[in-house]
Amino acid sequence: MRMSNESKSLRRGVRFAGCLAIAAVALGAAPAWASAATLFVAPGGSNAAGCTSAHPCRTITHAVSVASAGDRIVVRRGTYHEDVIVRKRVHLIGRRWPVVNAAGRLNGIVLAGRGSVGASLRGFQVSNATQEGVVAINTSWVRIVGNVVSHNDLGMFSASPTGECAAFGEVPGDCGEGIHLMTVSHSTVLGNRITANAGGILMTDEFGPTFRNTVAWNHVWRNQYDCGITIPGHSPNAVSATGELQPTMGGVYRNLIVHNVVNRNGLKGEGAGILIAAAGPGSAAYNNTVAFNTAIGNNLAGVTIHSHAPNQDVNGNRLIGNTLSNNNRGGDPDAGVTRTADVLIFSAVVPITGTVISDNWLSNAHFGIWTQNAHASLSGNHFENIVVPVHQG
């Protein structure tokens, strides 16, 4: 298959950026804050101690409270029963995979507000939270790298779900998934392993836009009740009453979703591999790039785009160079598609425009690409063991 020039250029750029990021993590490249103080935490420590290597703190929360902006907090192996809230530019570094067990607590680790701009989280296991394992909210330039996030979103099993777990209008309750970026920009979610949550990674815009983030090289699998990676516009203010985009008000846009493995999600619910969608009127998720991902055996299509109401915008998204196989195993009730499909784009009201679908490898499904009320540019796609390569309605 001959790859388009756009796909070649994008692949070169993504590989270069991704390799630099991974090299920096793997080699321990000295970041700008290398001269800042380093605090230590260990299960046998004391919060009356000085958080030094010889006399570590006992809890991550205490270390965060006494840290200054730019400090590193090294957390040693062990289990920490905490809901850690970070409102400073600190860098949490797990040594030998410490566990944040958030059983009975709302979240595992929260990066929140302007003070947390530039904060980072690396090398933790986070589990058993009522809502998100890891959530970044109202912040930017944060890095969530190389963590294991599993068995969170437990509030969905409550008889009366609340908070993120409760449905709100057109937005179903999902507990915020394993990792949640809410009103976040210029941030990176890189190399995490995300499994056995309600869903994997969620990007939303409740308090303002979520834009120019990179979600790359994550392994997202067997999140049984929702999507692997979900990119939904929730804000009702992203599109004006006259149909004009209002990017400073809301919207999920210009995000880069690349080189992720997203397999077997949503098998007990209605989860896609990667979903781009708008909730109610005025919401938007547009101009995102989904490239070089692998999505196999998900309950909805490997890459799904949905629009359900008037005055929405899910236009201009690009699906490039993905490997998709045997998706939409449970069928898509909104689109009325009961057969397997690897790419599915559906709008109930407003036509979807500007979608690019190029250089993807699609296999082992009834439909390769299925669209309704959508205008997509198709080029260079490869179909193997596909009954209907392209259906456009």
Side-chain angles (χ1 to χ4, degrees):
M1 178 186 68
R2 182 166 295 177
M3 188 176 292
S4 70
N5 289 333
E6 177 185 44
S7 182
K8 289 178 181 177
S9 298
L10 179 59
R11 183 180 288 275
R12 283 195 294 268
V14 168
R15 280 181 171 171
F16 182 69
C19 288
L20 284 180
I22 289 173
V25 172
L27 299 176
W33 40 264
S35 61
T38 300
L39 288 70
F40 292 85
V41 181
S46 168
N47 287 343
C51 297
T52 64
S53 180
H55 302 285
C57 301
R58 181 175 56 84
T59 67
I60 306 168
T61 296
H62 179 72
V64 170
S65 73
V66 300
S68 299
D71 285 354
R72 298 165 26 130
I73 299 174
V74 176
V75 181
R76 292 172 176 161
R77 185 175 184 176
T79 299
Y80 301 84
H81 296 277
E82 302 186 51
D83 182 343
V84 181
I85 300 177
V86 177
R87 301 186 186 276
K88 304 175 181 178
R89 180 175 55 85
V90 296
H91 307 279
L92 297 178
I93 302 168
R95 292 283 168 84
R96 299 180 66 193
W97 297 105
V99 175
V100 175
N101 182 348
R105 293 163 172 82
L106 203 60
N107 305 108
I109 299 174
V110 181
L111 309 176
R114 284 188 169 186
S116 69
V117 171
S120 65
L121 172 70
R122 171 158 55 97
F124 287 82
Q125 299 180 67
V126 185
S127 61
N128 297 325
T130 299
Q131 296 183 14
E132 301 97 331
V134 177
V135 56
I137 180 170
N138 278 325
T139 189
S140 60
W141 301 102
V142 300
R143 289 174 57 82
I144 301 169
V145 179
N147 304 283
V148 176
V149 182
S150 64
H151 297 94
N152 297 287
D153 306 324
L154 300 185
M156 69 174 294
F157 301 109
S158 169
S160 301
T162 60
E164 292 291 321
C165 303
F168 183 76
E170 295 289 333
V171 182
D174 55 20
C175 294
E177 319 292 41
I179 295 177
H180 189 177
L181 304 185
M182 181 189 296
T183 306
V184 171
S185 67
H186 300 96
S187 295
T188 302
V189 178
L190 174 70
N192 301 281
R193 296 173 64 83
I194 305 164
T195 187
N197 308 283
I201 299 171
L202 177 63
M203 306 169 71
T204 62
D205 62 339
E206 280 82 351
F207 307 109
T210 287
F211 64 99
R212 292 194 181 279
N213 301 290
T214 298
V215 175
W217 302 99
N218 301 284
H219 189 178
V220 186
W221 79 104
R222 290 186 182 274
N223 298 282
Q224 294 291 323
Y225 297 93
D226 216 313
C227 304
I229 300 174
T230 314
I231 310 167
H234 284 176
S235 170
N237 302 312
V239 183
S240 72
T242 59
E244 302 286 335
L245 285 170
Q246 302 186 106
T248 61
M249 301 293 289
V252 185
Y253 57 88
R254 295 193 181 280
N255 298 288
L256 189 60
I257 314 299
V258 292
H259 288 295
N260 301 284
V261 176
V262 189
N263 294 345
R264 296 184 64 79
N265 296 284
L267 297 185
K268 294 182 180 179
E270 290 184 5
I274 300 169
L275 171 69
I276 300 172
S283 56
Y286 60 94
N287 291 356
N288 299 287
T289 297
V290 176
F292 315 124
N293 303 282
T294 297
I296 299 172
N298 296 284
N299 194 61
L300 295 179
V303 181
T304 302
I305 301 176
H306 273 188
S307 174
H308 300 99
N311 205 36
Q312 295 183 333
D313 191 326
V314 292
N315 301 319
N317 294 294
R318 301 190 302 163
L319 319 181
I320 299 173
N322 300 286
T323 299
L324 312 174
S325 181
N326 191 30
N327 293 289
N328 204 47
R329 292 177 60 179
D332 188 322
D334 291 341
V337 178
T338 59
R339 310 297 293 270
T340 52
D342 283 334
V343 174
L344 189 150
I345 304 175
F346 165 76
S347 177
V349 181
V350 182
I352 299 172
T353 63
T355 308
V356 174
I357 307 175
S358 68
D359 301 318
N360 300 282
W361 290 77
L362 314 174
S363 66
N364 301 316
H366 185 83
F367 296 107
I369 299 168
W370 187 98
T371 72
Q372 181 172 313
N373 203 17
H375 306 287
S377 172
L378 310 179
S379 65
N381 297 292
H382 177 84
F383 304 92
E384 180 178 343
N385 196 26
I386 297 288
V387 178
V388 181
V390 178
H391 170 279
Q392 292 184 295

